[in-house]
Amino acid sequence: ACLCFRDVPSVDILVWSELPTGAGLGSSAAYAVCLAAALLMACGAVSCPLKEGDSTASLYLLGPWELLGDMKERGEGTSLAVSRVPTLRILLTNTKVPRSTKVLVAGVKEKILKFPAIMNPVLDSIDAISQECQSVLEAMPANPSPEYYPVLEELFDINQHHLNVIGVGHPSLDRLCRVTASHGLHSKLTGAGGGGCGITLLRPDTSPLAVEAAKRDLCACGFECWETNIGAPGVTLHHSSSLKAEVLHALSES
């Protein structure tokens, strides 16, 4: 079957983001998804679901385009897919330490070539952690039991140790983990490592005082912190009336 869509004229793409780039937050993947959604809508492959009075609407009809775009850009493999993602509270911390994904990946490859019998089991263990984490996350929406959080915390800790072993840790990330551990919280690096960002899991019953104390101590290290969630609706179409004033200002100035 042949799918025929309308032609898309030449366009200028204007991007505005609050995410720090190159910090391991998936900004390139987010960009690829938004771009794919916009182009699919422009050519008529996805209809505009906004109704009168709506400020936002979720878009579902994305195919592999955004994934392929990000893989082509980054040269990476695919990630685990979780069909139903629970909403998890996290503390996101930017160590502000710059790093190069290319250099870090090359370093890991060198270790594997030098010590294959040692490194390959570590990588297998990291994969097993990911599979176990996927199982836990898929079970949580149907049964939001507090018993899952200690499991996730332990997986965070084991994974962080493994990532240090393969050479993508950094003293700033070690400090982040020590600071949050002093408040009873569990953290790990995210992204390529070697600096960049770390995430700290917050249980539903985590005391706001403990979170604020952890944020205060992390900021005292020169880090930047945000409290946020994992498990957002995904790619969304926004009416201009729903955008923040600073976003509208930034777009109008560009």
Side-chain angles (χ1 to χ4, degrees), residues 242-253:
S242 70
L243 299 178
K244 296 179 182 178
E246 58 264 34
V247 176
L248 291 172
H249 178 72
L251 292 174
S252 65
E253 288 288 303

Side-chain angles (χ1 to χ4, degrees), residues 6-139:
R6 62 176 174 265
D7 292 337
V8 178
S10 296
V11 294
D12 292 325
I13 305 297
L14 184 61
V15 179
W16 188 92
S17 175
E18 293 177 302
L19 290 175
T21 58
L25 299 183
S27 57
S28 62
Y31 166 75
V33 168
C34 291
L35 183 58
L39 293 176
L40 286 170
M41 287 189 63
C43 74
V46 177
S47 61
C48 176
L50 272 181
K51 301 186 177 108
E52 188 172 348
D54 289 346
S55 60
T56 62
S58 295
L59 295 170
Y60 299 102
L61 299 181
L62 288 181
W65 299 280
E66 76 285 351
L67 176 61
L68 292 173
D70 198 43
M71 287 174 65
K72 181 178 178 182
E73 186 178 318
R74 295 161 60 92
E76 295 178 352
T78 57
S79 302
L80 291 174
V82 180
S83 56
R84 297 176 62 194
V85 181
T87 299
L88 298 177
R89 292 174 60 210
I90 63 165
L91 190 61
L92 176 64
T93 302
N94 186 1
T95 66
K96 300 183 180 179
V97 174
R99 78 287 185 282
S100 166
T101 301
K102 184 177 180 180
V103 171
L104 288 162
V105 170
V108 173
K109 183 177 180 180
E110 183 180 354
K111 278 182 180 289
I112 295 170
L113 292 174
K114 189 175 182 180
F115 305 111
I118 297 171
M119 298 302 296
N120 285 322
V122 177
L123 295 175
D124 289 341
S125 183
I126 290 174
D127 182 64
I129 292 168
S130 299
Q131 298 288 346
E132 184 68 22
C133 188
Q134 180 180 15
S135 298
V136 172
L137 293 176
E138 287 182 338

Side-chain angles (χ1 to χ4, degrees), residues 147-161:
E147 69 187 27
Y148 292 117
Y149 286 90
V151 177
L152 289 175
E153 289 172 343
E154 196 163 5
L155 293 175
F156 265 48
D157 293 341
I158 298 170
N159 185 246
Q160 178 62 21
H161 287 302

